[in-house]
Amino acid sequence: MSAPFSLGIDFGTTNTVLALAGGEGPARLVRFPATEGELFAFRSCLSFYAPPDLPSERQVTAGPWAIEAYVDDPAETRFIQSFKSFAAQESFTETQILGRRYRFEDLLSTFLLKVREYGGGDLAELPERVIVGRPVRFVGGAPNEALALRRYETAFNRMGVEAVRYAYEPVGAAFFFARGLDHDATVLVGDFGGGTSDFSIIRFERVAGSLRATPLGRAGVGVAGDAFDYRIIDHLVSPELGKGGDYLSFGKTLPIPYKYYAAFARWDQLALLRASRDMREIRALERQAAEPEKIARLIEILDENHGYRLYRAVSRLKETLSAESGAAFRFEAGSIDIARDVARAEFEGWIAPELALIEGAVDAALADAGLAAEAIDRVFLTGGSSLVPAVRAIFGRRFDPARIETGAELESIASGLALMGREDDLGRWTTGPDLPAGR
């Protein structure tokens, strides 16, 4: 197979998507022949497993195969998801998995090599131009962007990418959206991933028969779908696991530490909590708590690795609330059974802090471009959380609803990045090693 002209890689918190673009025509998604059928959205997760009697026979799987391994044996499988969330976190140095140390770049390169393996012939030979998406703002209170990109560089080099070039994820989505433009337009793109909400404003103009794009402004915030998930867990699940309760210590009644429940804010931290020294404290709490049965549930979730089942229950609720005014939440795993009806308005109240941050980022993008909302001709929203009505309402309050479009929630960024790779002046859109124009 001859190398395609360019490859776009959208490494997402929840899903990873790759697309190839030749010299002309639309981009083509890389597909994976999974058990349940061919797919292009490859889940960003890993499973590590070693038979107890043969610890040296360590097995690593990724994507849907990682989920299969976890579902088959959750107690003996270390399941890692949403690990993109700590790419820019200096506090994350390494984690121990089956007796081996893994830094972030080790986890990412392990994942990427599996993606390439499962991609088969499409990824047997990587093109010279590989464009990797990156958020406008990485997740975390004080994200270290330079650290994240160094870690990316190491991991993508191990995958076989010789010269890694980065482009903002919403800019990739803008290139995808621009395929359907038949007139000049100033476009605001909102990309809602699992960990970040990113916005870019780009001017598209037809010049001498070709489409010219000019970046005008951008902004981003490190909250998105995962933060919404955490609010659901914090209000529905954590109280049933002991949050807000008390325990007895040396004759004093004390509140159960909140830090154990804060780990549910990020799926990667939930996996790490299971292997941390905090587990010893949590087990002791079961004997001291006023409601020990609730702490027992927390221990079961961590010991039996029920995080993925909890993730699925939360996702189902969020998806239903995007279409209905109310929904039933149900989380069943092992001996745990938590059920409750939730109104959409109640959910929107829970995520109000995140909505305010997203709203501020939209205004920041307009300010960065020096434009009023009226100057935006088209708005393109992509990513799973763009379907949440309260998120869409942010844009409906600022822009003419007739100008707002959504779609291609999973494919737009990767396809746009691949199409971007055909640009003669890559330096206008990407950062990374210089490449000669037209190469």
Side-chain angles (χ1 to χ4, degrees), residues 9 15 79-80 89 92 115 120 123 141 159 233 280 293 353 358 360 420 436:
I9 302 179
N15 293 291
F79 183 67
I80 304 290
Q89 298 305 299
F92 180 80
V115 169
L123 302 177
M159 183 192 188
I233 293 171
R280 189 183 312 158
E293 71 281 0
I358 292 170
M420 187 186 301

Side-chain angles (χ1 to χ4, degrees), residues 289-311:
E291 297 176 290
E293 71 281 0
K294 291 187 175 181
I295 302 301
R297 293 187 195 119
L298 174 61
I299 293 171
E300 181 179 345
I301 285 178
L302 297 172
D303 276 349
E304 301 302 321
N305 210 359
H306 290 326
Y308 178 70
R309 287 183 173 84
L310 177 56
Y311 167 85

